[in-house]
Amino acid sequence: MAPRYDNLAVTVLRLDPATPIERTYHLMRFPGRWKEPLRRLAQAQRGGEVASIPIASLNDAITALVPDCVVTLPYAGRGDDDQDWLLAYREVKPAAIFNLVAAWARAQKGTPEQIALALSQLHARDLSWSPVHLNLTAPDERQRAMRLLPMEIAATLSRPDTTCPHNELRFLRCPSAEGSEVMSWPPERIEDQTPFSVKIGITAQTLPTSDELLVYLSYGVRRWMPVRGKLALDHGHSVYLAPTVPYLAGLENSRHFGTARIKRVKVTEKNGSNGYEPRWDDAVASVLKEVGCLDRLPDPQQLVDKPLDYLQRHGDAAALVYSTGMLSAEKVSAGLSVADRQPLMDWVVGELSPCLRPAAPLPRERCTVYKGLGGISQSPVSAAYLSEIVGPRLDIELLTDDQATQYALDRLTTRLGVPMPRAEQLGETETLIDLGGVTVGVRRLAAPTIRADLDRVGRRPQAAVEARIVHIADALGRAANPTVALVEIAGPDAYEGRRRGDDPKFAIRHGLLRTGRLSQFVTPVAEHKRPPRKESSDPNRERFAAAVDELFRQLGVRPEPLPEPARNTLLRQPALLAIWMIRQNKGRVWGLGRQVPVAVLIDPTGQHVQVRAPKVPWQPLHTGLLEIGRRYVNVDLKCGPDDVVRFAKDVIDEATGAFPDTLLLTHAQNLRGVWTTLTNGRIQLDNLGFGAGDPQPVSKLPGLRHVRVRTVEGGETPECYGITDDETGQPKGLWRFLVHRVYGSTTGKPSTHSGALKGVSKLIPGEHNGKLTAPKPKAQVWNPQFIELLVAGIQDGDQPEHWAALAHDLRDAAPYVRNTTILPWPLHLAEQIEQYLLPTKITGLDAQEVIGDE
């Protein structure tokens, strides 16, 4: 019998006020007199008015090359005053910092004259250090402590005389995008060519409505390339460097890793032919080139050809990071199991005591509102209900091959509750099936020219996409009825590297959209070498069944209503409102940027889903997806904070006016950048802030409740594992977190990770059936994601745990998903609207999309 876990351990450390962390640091300020010349250089590079200096690349170079410094200034340029910039344990020679700044300036994209003019106004004498004594536990130092605490912890864990007894690991500091990170070195298991290092991520975090500063720890592995592999053409690959002497003159060496990136670059061979070679290619490499020490880095070709040689070096080691697809088969799996994470956590706690102490285990919140959710709903869709959603007619088009067509028809038989014709009976002429109240038309289109790779010969990418869209419109014509199309197509692996531009999914999606069709892509699983033993184990059958279900999801169809609330919880079912920000800030398509809020509103039964966007009124999901796609896919639109807040206020007023009870669900990382009153520091319980005015009490918004969800992005939620007196595990449940009205939601192990064992170690021998077993670097690992739920707004008489439990239950409410989704169902639906606007999210149906895997 599986153990019952009533407590959840979290990888959270709390500062002990009785043992403050006090240090004397050295502070360097960014000179105000530098801002105008550097602004002019940025303006010459970018054109137009420039308010901010592109200091991020300079900070990256400092982080990589001057590891004893912490950058506290994320941007610079506004105003002409000096600003706090660097904090360090010791005074790094200002001349060395200045040489780095000068090299960074020379690496900018400006003319030699523009760069020389800027440099003539920068001087080493402008830089100086001043001592500053800080108490990192003091409330007024919280902002600095957010940056410095991770550095302090990393320095402690990487002391030369410190060894973790769990496999005698020793750690070095390395750069990190968030907080700090330490990594074990030398690598594990070099001798059998399965090299990896253990990494510990360290971030300082806050909780909503609390002033306390917390430290979150994350544990994982970094896998190294042992042999020559395949480099991508469309992105760089990280390399970790451990120099024995500093790269820049005037710096002292310390126990740390630096990072740089290599990328395959097109070169012309001696015979005139084109080829590709690895080259150092990032801001750090550009700075090193400018100071004349790029040749201190390993030769990138040798590093790619013989990576193990560099891994085995005692001095000037280099390690090329492995990422999925670089080798034909993985030698080390991702992640660490509880068997490794728990002893690592115990060691960290011991090293950091008494200044930091672990958070107490979280107690289970024993409450369920919607019982019986979870798993794919297998009920057929009734004709009466289907006609409510789509009207008297639904057309289904299968752009699939023979076997795939049969798989799809089998699933349609289950979903519609009536026999479908056989694949060989279908053609381009519709076969009509009268369900009574609604007629379903089914046809199969071979459509090889629609599904083919994009023809880019002699065309720009946009022209190739437009040509395919026009072809689809000519071939299919305008849909006369609500229509869904299932498209069988090659998977993402077929469009890697130089073939990336051949991927037709974006063009197909929007060609079908322009003709009034919703679409779902599906990629067949590779053929089995032997027939499956039984029909139910056929992965292609399961994949096509999931794809058909996705079509019903896009129609807004839920086969069964949500259950009634459990006794002694909620008085009645609430409507469900989710607001989501679709944004494309990284990368651009057709020179366009999009930032569009959308809202999903689900009636209390869960069977009627509406969608809304700016200038798109409330309407059923299936028509709303088409309208949002048509209106915004080719529009350069970035709704600002005022627009988003106004939109949020409108949809909340509309929802509360239509239903007596409404649960609003928001996602912190997705919305807080534009709806700033959702941030930890500004959110107020039982109030909603709309713009510059005073927050509005939720009691003035009839029946409204609000739960804000926060996920693991940026390390903002901790890792976790269940504990009993003598067991650890991965339990599903709702847990009371560290402050009032904040809860944690976890899910059990999904079926796709049934082979993942919590007790298997990658580092030390274990015991199984009384026998000693070797470490297993390839062992499959799965760990639950901790989802933070803040019950931000409730009405008088409410119990906050009921609304937290409802949000937790809604992670099991998606009717076509086998396992628990990361986001509660309404937010999950809202996020999926992105696939009609952002081509970066349009991929073949893979396991993540089908099952909502963690």
Side-chain angles (χ1 to χ4, degrees):
M1 181 177 177
R4 168 77 177 185
Y5 296 97
D6 291 323
N7 293 282
L8 190 76
V10 287
T11 57
V12 177
L13 301 176
R14 309 180 87 161
L15 289 163
D16 189 343
T19 314
I21 301 175
E22 296 185 83
R23 296 283 189 274
T24 296
Y25 297 93
H26 298 275
L27 172 67
M28 179 178 284
R29 309 198 78 198
F30 192 86
R33 68 184 67 182
W34 286 10
K35 294 182 180 180
E36 184 55 33
L38 290 177
R39 271 197 296 261
R40 286 199 301 268
L41 180 60
Q43 185 172 330
Q45 176 182 333
R46 301 177 182 177
E49 291 297 322
V50 173
S52 184
I53 299 164
I55 198 175
S57 58
L58 173 58
N59 290 344
D60 289 343
I62 291 172
T63 301
L65 300 173
V66 193
D68 293 317
C69 286
V70 167
V71 177
T72 62
L73 181 65
Y75 63 89
R78 299 183 187 277
D80 296 309
D81 297 328
D82 294 355
Q83 290 178 272
D84 291 357
W85 181 27
L86 304 177
L87 282 165
Y89 287 118
R90 54 186 173 81
E91 293 188 11
V92 180
K93 291 182 179 179
I97 300 290
F98 180 78
N99 289 339
L100 189 55
V101 173
W104 166 79
R106 291 195 298 271
Q108 301 304 300
K109 294 179 180 178
T111 66
E113 294 77 16
Q114 292 166 341
I115 293 172
L117 178 61
L119 285 173
S120 69
Q121 299 173 71
L122 313 182
H123 303 284
R125 63 175 178 271
D126 298 331
L127 299 177
S128 63
W129 295 99
S130 58
V132 55
H133 188 79
L134 300 179
N135 177 0
L136 300 186
T137 56
D140 58 348
E141 293 292 354
R142 193 170 78 163
Q143 287 305 311
R144 281 174 166 169
M146 292 282 288
R147 299 287 300 174
L148 291 173
L149 259 179
M151 182 178 81
E152 285 286 334
I153 294 170
T156 300
L157 299 181
S158 61
R159 293 192 308 259
D161 59 345
T162 301
T163 302
C164 173
H166 191 64
N167 208 40
E168 301 302 311
L169 299 174
R170 298 169 67 88
F171 288 89
L172 294 177
R173 285 178 292 159
C174 52
S176 174
E178 303 284 344
S180 292
E181 184 176 278
V182 294
M183 186 169 67
S184 68
W185 197 263
E188 304 297 305
R189 305 187 71 86
I190 289 181
E191 66 282 355
D192 58 5
Q193 295 196 1
T194 58
F196 67 94
S197 292
V198 174
K199 60 179 181 177
I200 304 176
I202 309 156
T203 61
Q205 302 289 342
T206 61
L207 287 177
T209 74
S210 171
D211 292 330
E212 183 180 8
L213 194 61
L214 303 168
V215 172
Y216 288 3
L217 302 170
S218 61
Y219 300 92
V221 296
R222 183 161 283 123
R223 300 172 288 176
W224 308 117
M225 287 291 287
V227 295
R228 180 182 174 87
K230 182 173 66 174
L231 298 187
L233 283 172
D234 53 358
H235 61 81
H237 295 269
S238 294
V239 177
Y240 282 72
L241 306 159
T244 51
V245 295
Y247 290 124
L248 300 181
L251 297 179
E252 295 182 28
N253 205 42
S254 61
R255 288 172 51 81
H256 77 283
F257 274 95
T259 60
R261 293 178 72 82
I262 58 174
K263 187 175 182 179
R264 289 181 70 189
V265 177
K266 191 174 183 179
V267 297
T268 302
E269 307 288 356
K270 292 181 179 179
N271 60 6
S273 62
N274 292 326
Y276 289 87
E277 292 182 1
R279 294 282 188 271
W280 294 110
D281 183 62
D282 67 356
V284 175
S286 299
V287 171
L288 290 175
K289 181 179 179 181
E290 288 298 331
V291 294
C293 58
L294 184 60
D295 58 357
R296 289 284 315 282
L297 272 60
D299 178 82
Q301 187 66 63
Q302 293 179 12
L303 179 61
V304 170
D305 289 342
K306 296 183 178 181
L308 205 61
D309 289 353
Y310 289 89
L311 277 175
Q312 293 172 313
R313 294 185 177 186
H314 293 293
D316 289 329
L320 175 59
V321 176
Y322 167 82
S323 57
T324 302
M326 293 177 70
L327 295 174
S328 58
E330 288 190 344
K331 294 180 177 291
V332 181
S333 65
L336 284 176
S337 72
V338 177
D340 291 320
R341 290 193 300 152
Q342 186 182 31
L344 285 168
M345 181 68 183
D346 292 342
W347 170 71
V348 170
V349 168
E351 291 296 313
L352 301 178
S353 178
C355 297
L356 293 117
R357 52 189 171 82
L362 310 182
R364 183 184 289 274
E365 181 62 65
R366 302 178 186 279
C367 181
T368 300
V369 174
Y370 283 167
K371 295 182 178 180
L373 293 177
I376 296 175
S377 173
Q378 300 295 346
S379 300
V381 180
S382 74
Y385 169 55
L386 187 61
S387 67
E388 281 185 52
I389 302 301
V390 300
R393 177 69 182 265
L394 171 66
D395 287 342
I396 302 172
E397 298 176 342
L398 304 176
L399 283 69
T400 50
D401 294 332
D402 293 343
Q403 185 59 59
T405 302
Q406 190 57 57
Y407 285 140
L409 291 170
D410 291 345
R411 189 58 169 183
L412 287 170
T413 295
T414 300
R415 279 292 168 216
L416 297 177
V418 297
M420 290 284 114
R422 299 289 302 171
E424 58 271 18
Q425 297 174 304
L426 285 185
E428 295 200 2
T429 302
E430 291 173 330
T431 297
L432 300 181
I433 301 163
D434 186 1
L435 301 182
V438 62
T439 299
V440 175
V442 184
R443 65 172 180 159
R444 180 198 169 196
L445 307 169
T449 56
I450 290 177
R451 296 190 285 150
D453 293 351
L454 284 184
D455 181 8
R456 295 188 294 146
V457 177
R459 292 174 171 167
R460 295 173 60 85
Q462 181 176 345
V465 170
E466 287 287 358
R468 180 60 55 85
I469 290 173
V470 170
H471 171 65
I472 291 171
D474 291 342
L476 300 182
R478 183 79 186 170
N481 308 298
T483 303
V484 292
L486 180 65
V487 184
E488 182 182 6
I489 199 165
D493 292 347
Y495 300 107
E496 292 182 342
R498 70 187 69 186
R499 291 206 60 213
R500 188 178 183 186
D502 299 336
D503 191 342
K505 297 183 189 70
F506 176 54
I508 296 172
R509 171 81 79 192
H510 290 283
L512 294 171
L513 182 147
R514 285 195 192 179
T515 63
R517 293 166 167 84
L518 299 175
S519 56
Q520 179 60 44
F521 297 104
V522 61
T523 303
V525 180
E527 290 295 327
H528 290 281
K529 295 181 180 179
R530 64 182 68 178
R533 295 181 182 179
K534 55 183 180 179
E535 186 178 31
S536 61
S537 66
D538 184 347
N540 275 320
R541 180 178 297 280
E542 294 174 5
R543 181 164 290 200
F544 277 83
V548 169
D549 284 351
E550 276 293 295
L551 292 175
F552 282 93
R553 190 269 304 167
Q554 293 182 47
L555 288 171
V557 169
R558 180 182 185 88
E560 297 173 338
L562 291 169
E564 291 291 329
R567 183 181 298 178
N568 298 323
T569 59
L570 306 184
L571 293 177
R572 52 185 171 264
Q573 293 173 306
L576 306 172
L577 174 65
I579 301 175
W580 187 264
M581 193 71 188
I582 298 176
R583 56 165 53 87
Q584 185 174 37
N585 295 330
K586 296 181 180 179
R588 296 170 71 82
V589 179
W590 301 357
L592 302 175
R594 301 171 189 81
Q595 188 164 292
V596 182
V598 295
V600 167
L601 179 60
I602 305 172
D603 82 319
T605 71
Q607 291 198 292
H608 295 85
V609 181
Q610 297 185 82
V611 66
R612 167 121 147 64
K615 300 183 180 179
V616 177
W618 289 113
Q619 56 191 285
L621 180 63
H622 65 97
T623 61
L625 288 175
L626 295 173
E627 181 63 24
I628 291 170
R630 279 194 293 260
R631 179 172 289 276
Y632 293 115
V633 70
N634 202 19
V635 174
D636 196 342
L637 174 68
K638 290 192 175 182
C639 293
D642 291 343
D643 301 314
V644 174
V645 170
R646 190 180 308 112
F647 174 79
K649 179 68 166 64
D650 288 344
V651 299
I652 290 169
D653 287 343
E654 290 158 0
T656 55
F659 298 100
D661 295 290
T662 303
L663 172 61
L664 168 66
L665 290 158
T666 59
H667 182 258
Q669 290 103 319
N670 173 260
L671 266 180
R672 69 188 177 202
V674 286
W675 194 355
T676 56
T677 53
L678 295 182
T679 60
N680 281 356
R682 296 188 62 188
I683 198 165
Q684 297 182 25
L685 293 181
D686 302 326
N687 289 273
L688 269 176
F690 298 105
D694 292 335
Q696 184 171 354
V698 294
S699 59
K700 303 293 186 182
L701 297 163
L704 183 72
R705 284 83 173 183
H706 175 207
V707 173
R708 193 200 72 173
V709 180
R710 189 156 62 144
T711 48
V712 74
E713 289 91 338
E716 293 189 34
T717 62
E719 294 183 352
C720 59
Y721 45 89
I723 54 173
T724 62
D725 291 340
D726 55 359
E727 285 271 355
T728 58
Q730 299 157 327
K732 179 174 183 174
L734 181 69
W735 315 87
R736 294 195 293 276
F737 204 18
L738 303 178
V739 300
H740 179 56
R741 305 236 314 230
V742 180
Y743 301 81
S745 169
T746 61
T747 180
K749 185 166 61 177
S751 58
T752 49
H753 287 76
S754 58
L757 302 176
K758 65 181 176 68
V760 174
S761 171
K762 291 183 176 178
L763 296 166
I764 62 173
E767 187 175 317
H768 182 67
N769 293 332
K771 295 182 179 179
L772 200 64
T773 60
K776 297 182 178 180
K778 292 185 179 180
Q780 187 182 12
V781 173
W782 178 84
N783 293 300
Q785 184 178 148
F786 185 93
I787 305 300
E788 180 189 291
L789 304 174
L790 166 66
V791 183
I794 52 178
Q795 301 287 333
D796 289 343
D798 285 347
Q799 298 298 315
E801 62 270 21
H802 295 162
W803 295 94
L806 176 57
H808 170 71
D809 295 342
L810 289 171
R811 294 183 64 199
D812 281 318
Y816 306 116
V817 175
R818 179 177 292 109
N819 298 307
T820 304
T821 56
I822 292 175
L823 297 172
W825 176 47
L827 281 172
H828 179 74
L829 272 179
E831 182 188 30
Q832 289 178 311
I833 297 173
E834 290 186 358
Q835 55 188 260
Y836 277 88
L837 292 184
L838 304 186
T840 54
K841 293 292 183 76
I842 298 174
T843 61
L845 196 68
D846 57 19
Q848 177 87 5
E849 187 175 357
V850 174
I851 63 171
D853 192 359
E854 296 278 10

